[in-house]
Amino acid sequence: MEAIEMKQLNFKGESVSELGIGTWNIGEGDARQSSQEITAIQYGLEHGINFIDTAEMYGEGKSETLVGQAIQPYDRDKLFITSKFYPFHATPSLMRASLTKSLQRLKIDYLDLYLLHWRGNTPLVETVQGMYELQAEGLIKHWGVSNFDTSDLQELIELPHGKDVFANEDLYNLRSRGIEFDLLPWQAENNIPFIGYSPFGSGNGKGIDSPELRQIAQERQVSVQAILLAWVTRHHDVLSIPKASQVEHVTANIAATEIKLTAEELARLDQDFPAPIGKQALDVI
Ligand SMILES: NC(=O)c1ccc[n+]([C@@H]2O[C@H](COP(=O)([O-])OP(=O)(O)OC[C@H]3O[C@@H](n4cnc5c(N)ncnc54)[C@H](OP(=O)(O)O)[C@@H]3O)[C@@H](O)[C@H]2O)c1
């Protein structure tokens, strides 16, 4: 493969690659599978990706453990490692305990970004206070949220330290694009970077399908997944975090960031997957 210059996004002064590494469902197979997953992650890291997304939920720590193994050969400070805690660990003391375990599994002494995985019953004010304290101690560089809609973020930024929120991570792909109506513009206006998960609709991407999508992929002689990824990253302001446990998939995903969809192709995709014309309920997986 020709060397591809991975685009970097400026996330509030931090340089992050336009593609990140999703890690849901990794680290749960046998030794052969784990070795393949490590190879895929390392291939991404050696080809311009610096962002890794994991969570205490993924395999109840198995994903973090595998990421910890995969990143061993690299300069930790050049990586941007994100993890998440469960909403039922969202009090200051429980999130601290979760973080301690995540750092042990990842074999690192700080996270670049720590996210509330989704909103639960703990008052947000307590959660923000807890993250603020972990940040002040240098255990996390930044904190953020996931699966938040516009109204949740509006509430968040009014809280003490709430404006320090670094990013929000939500579902974003060609089929789930309701956030284009209000959330994405609002985050841009408020300088809150956006991380889009499940660019292929999770699983193997077979769930996102349409005649135009298939036709465009065929015309360009690439996979449907390449078109889906080129679409998510079309404005170069969304960080997309596909999960790929095969090197061939990582290679294809990196190459897909070079595809520039034309206005005509985008219009054809809009026909099958219309842009939102009003507020839609937040889509989550
Ligand atoms: N914050 C949240 O609540 C939340 C929710 C869901 C996901 N996430 C994050 O987002 C990441 C990505 O989402 P996801 O794992 O749900 O699904 P996804 O990235 O949309 O899809 C992953 C699937 O696509 C396959 N794939 C990857 N590249 C491919 C290619 N070039 N051609 C064909 N197939 C390809 C993978 O296969 P192989 O593995 O076999 O390569 C895997 O089966 C997660 O891993 C996780 O880190 C966050």
Side-chain angles (χ1 to χ4, degrees):
M1 186 178 87
E2 256 178 65
I4 288 174
E5 189 78 21
M6 170 73 58
K7 265 186 205 64
Q8 301 292 308
L9 306 178
N10 179 348
F11 266 27
K12 292 191 166 191
E14 296 273 10
S15 184
V16 292
S17 49
E18 175 168 51
L19 283 194
I21 297 174
T23 67
W24 193 14
N25 294 316
I26 66 154
E28 298 182 47
D30 57 17
R32 194 164 153 263
Q33 172 73 14
S34 293
S35 156
Q36 184 187 306
E37 290 163 350
I38 288 174
T39 304
I41 292 173
Q42 293 184 335
Y43 183 90
L45 297 178
E46 284 164 20
H47 290 80
I49 299 182
N50 69 353
F51 187 100
I52 301 180
D53 178 84
T54 184
E56 65 171 340
M57 184 189 102
Y58 300 163
E60 295 301 326
K62 288 186 178 146
S63 164
E64 290 178 327
T65 300
L66 186 128
V67 169
Q69 284 173 267
I71 62 176
Q72 280 313 299
Y74 305 100
D75 181 352
R76 193 269 166 264
D77 291 340
K78 295 212 166 93
L79 303 175
F80 194 102
I81 303 174
T82 300
S83 193
K84 319 183 195 78
F85 53 94
Y86 278 119
F88 48 85
H89 289 159
T91 62
S93 61
L94 290 175
M95 84 174 67
R96 182 180 290 273
S98 284
L99 176 65
T100 303
K101 289 186 211 148
S102 289
L103 292 176
Q104 277 167 0
R105 289 189 287 254
L106 288 159
K107 300 196 191 80
I108 53 179
D109 53 14
Y110 70 92
L111 281 179
D112 294 279
L113 179 60
Y114 203 26
L115 303 175
L116 168 62
H117 207 147
W118 65 93
R119 205 173 164 176
N121 297 327
T122 305
L124 271 184
V125 68
E126 275 185 48
T127 305
V128 173
Q129 178 62 27
M131 293 195 282
Y132 173 78
E133 287 166 13
L134 297 175
Q135 187 179 26
E137 290 171 42
L139 294 169
I140 60 175
K141 269 179 101 174
H142 305 284
W143 62 265
V145 290
S146 179
N147 296 301
F148 268 43
D149 204 346
T150 317
S151 57
D152 301 306
L153 289 169
Q154 283 165 336
E155 188 183 329
L156 177 70
I157 62 167
E158 293 308 321
L159 300 173
H161 310 299
K163 288 193 175 55
D164 295 342
V165 59
F166 182 79
N168 176 37
E169 177 175 311
D170 281 350
L171 177 62
Y172 186 51
N173 58 46
L174 184 59
R175 188 178 54 199
S176 291
R177 56 185 299 196
I179 56 171
E180 289 171 15
F181 181 72
D182 59 338
L183 182 93
L184 287 180
W186 187 88
Q187 286 199 210
E189 270 163 40
N190 287 275
N191 190 25
I192 301 173
F194 179 79
I195 303 161
Y197 69 72
S198 305
F200 309 131
S202 217
N204 56 12
K206 283 194 183 130
I208 306 182
D209 191 20
S210 86
E212 287 297 345
L213 179 57
R214 252 176 290 141
Q215 181 65 28
I216 293 169
Q218 201 180 17
E219 286 163 13
R220 284 187 173 261
Q221 298 189 308
V222 296
S223 66
V224 159
Q225 283 80 8
I227 301 300
L228 289 172
L229 208 48
W231 182 87
V232 170
T233 56
R234 67 201 181 285
H235 299 311
H236 304 299
D237 54 357
V238 164
L239 193 167
S240 183
I241 49 172
K243 175 254 181 185
S245 50
Q246 301 175 47
V247 166
E248 301 71 41
H249 285 167
V250 183
T251 310
N253 294 343
I254 292 172
T257 62
E258 294 279 283
I259 298 173
K260 189 163 172 21
L261 295 169
T262 65
E264 185 261 344
E265 287 170 326
L266 290 170
R268 285 164 63 194
L269 292 171
D270 283 346
Q271 279 171 24
D272 287 355
F273 302 94
I277 51 169
K279 172 70 189 162
Q280 295 181 5
L282 184 69
D283 235 353
V284 296
I285 284 186

